[in-house]
Amino acid sequence: MTESGAQLFARLEARRSLKDIETRLFPEDGGPDQGEVVELYGPEGTGKTELLYHLLCRCVLPVASGGLEVDVVFVDTDYSLDMLRLVSILDSRLNTARSTRSPSTGSDEALLRQCLSRLLVVHCSSSSQLLLTLHFLETSLSSRPGLALLLIDSISAFYWQDRCEGGASIAKQEERLSKCTELLGRLLRDYRITVFATCHAIRRSYSGPPSSSSSSSSSSSSEFDRPYLCRPWQRLVTHRLLCSRQEAANNMAATAGGSKEKRSRHVFTARCTSSRTKASRSSSFCVADGGVEFT
């Protein structure tokens, strides 16, 4: 395979390291290095996509607004990307940084446009399209040396579709995702980008007699925590964020009639483990109008 001079330059040029993308999520030894993969794993409604929005905003925001000012590719396989929500979070972050920003940096609208110009969104409706997207991603990596982050929401979107089309053969069921993983591994080696991908948890076992609530909760958690995607993907992952949700009782507020109403909000937990250093860390966060807020 031949490559042009521009492709060679883009491949060899050092890209921005994202080890400091979010220090509150990762162990003390830092976040993912160049060429590493982070999997955000958990059931639906555990804050995985909101975390992606948080990381995306951190990357595309200008340095003066607390960002890293790098380009991002967002591969949307669930067709769930909410651009209005993303713009709202970006606008909130820009407003927060406005008081410390010098007037010469321009208007909020101009800065918002600059942020969005660093984002490339691709939609995929099958694992075959995902494979083609990764093939064509090399062109973007060659033409945009500032591209440092690839987000995939989610890598498990076509699991059941591939399993159905693969028939009884496990190898056939996992063939497309294995090819995607192989290609992604080559892009990581050649271009040293960082990848974050969400993965929906599924229950892997339904056997066993009913038990007490505490042991049942522990058993249910372990069934959801178990990785199930193909082995090549599991070997590629260097950091795993296990996402969960709990209800936190908040603010006993008196109603007009004098009775007390319990108000609650969702508190999310992300437990990160690194396969490279074996270090781990747990973080808690809430989701507000302005995005993720760590507690």
Side-chain angles (χ1 to χ4, degrees):
M1 177 180 172
T2 60
E3 60 181 347
S4 65
Q7 288 175 320
L8 177 63
F9 178 77
R11 182 165 61 83
L12 297 179
E13 185 180 18
R15 293 180 188 269
R16 173 71 158 84
S17 171
L18 301 182
K19 285 182 71 70
D20 58 344
I21 188 171
E22 180 48 81
T23 56
R24 291 165 291 187
L25 273 179
F26 298 95
E28 292 183 358
D29 58 345
D33 208 343
Q34 294 167 310
E36 295 190 335
V37 177
V38 181
E39 181 186 72
L40 291 80
Y41 185 90
E44 184 178 357
T46 52
K48 300 186 299 297
T49 298
E50 284 289 340
L51 275 177
L52 285 192
Y53 291 164
H54 174 75
L55 298 169
L56 192 160
C57 292
R58 165 87 165 126
C59 286
V60 300
L61 280 168
V63 174
S65 299
L68 301 177
E69 208 166 318
V70 298
D71 292 356
V72 178
V73 172
F74 193 109
V75 179
D76 182 17
T77 61
D78 284 332
Y79 282 77
S80 59
L81 175 61
D82 188 342
M83 284 301 298
L84 291 179
R85 171 65 176 158
L86 181 60
V87 169
S88 175
I89 297 173
L90 280 171
D91 190 50
S92 176
R93 302 286 171 86
L94 289 170
N95 287 336
T96 300
R98 179 187 298 167
S99 58
T100 59
R101 194 174 66 229
S102 62
S104 60
T105 55
S107 67
D108 284 345
E109 182 178 353
L111 287 173
L112 186 58
R113 289 180 180 275
Q114 288 177 15
C115 291
L116 293 176
S117 71
R118 299 186 186 105
L119 172 64
L120 174 63
V121 178
V122 183
H123 298 282
C124 298
S125 59
S126 69
S127 52
S128 296
Q129 284 191 3
L130 177 59
L131 183 60
L132 288 173
T133 297
L134 294 176
H135 272 293
F136 285 108
L137 180 60
E138 188 160 12
T139 302
S140 297
L141 290 168
S142 299
S143 60
R144 300 174 73 161
L147 205 168
L149 178 64
L150 170 63
L151 303 175
I152 305 176
D153 191 23
S154 69
I155 192 66
S156 60
F158 313 119
Y159 173 76
W160 292 111
Q161 179 181 334
D162 290 344
R163 187 169 179 176
C164 180
E165 295 176 356
S169 170
I170 299 296
K172 285 290 185 182
Q173 293 174 14
E174 298 180 342
E175 181 179 15
R176 291 174 184 170
L177 182 57
S178 295
K179 288 182 177 179
C180 289
T181 303
E182 180 183 356
L183 179 54
L184 186 57
R186 183 174 65 79
L187 294 177
L188 291 170
R189 290 190 303 271
D190 289 351
Y191 293 95
R192 310 298 292 167
I193 59 173
T194 304
V195 176
F196 282 76
T198 63
C199 180
H200 299 309
I202 61 173
R203 188 184 293 273
R204 299 288 289 166
S205 173
Y206 297 90
S207 60
S211 54
S212 64
S213 58
S214 60
S215 60
S216 175
S217 174
S218 175
S219 173
S220 175
S221 175
S222 64
E223 288 168 1
F224 277 112
D225 296 353
R226 197 176 305 156
Y228 61 92
L229 294 182
C230 63
R231 290 294 178 86
W233 169 257
Q234 293 182 35
R235 287 193 294 266
L236 196 66
V237 172
T238 57
H239 297 74
R240 199 162 184 255
L241 280 168
L242 183 60
C243 301
S244 58
R245 181 183 68 182
Q246 65 185 64
E247 293 285 346
N250 242 3
N251 302 331
M252 297 297 291
T255 62
S259 63
K260 289 185 176 181
E261 177 187 9
K262 181 186 286 186
R263 293 182 179 176
S264 64
R265 64 174 179 172
H266 292 305
V267 176
F268 302 92
T269 301
R271 177 174 176 78
C272 177
T273 55
S274 169
S275 62
R276 175 169 46 86
T277 64
K278 307 303 179 184
S280 64
R281 177 174 182 173
S282 291
S283 307
S284 297
F285 63 93
C286 301
V287 176
D289 291 341
V292 166
E293 295 179 356
F294 287 90
T295 59

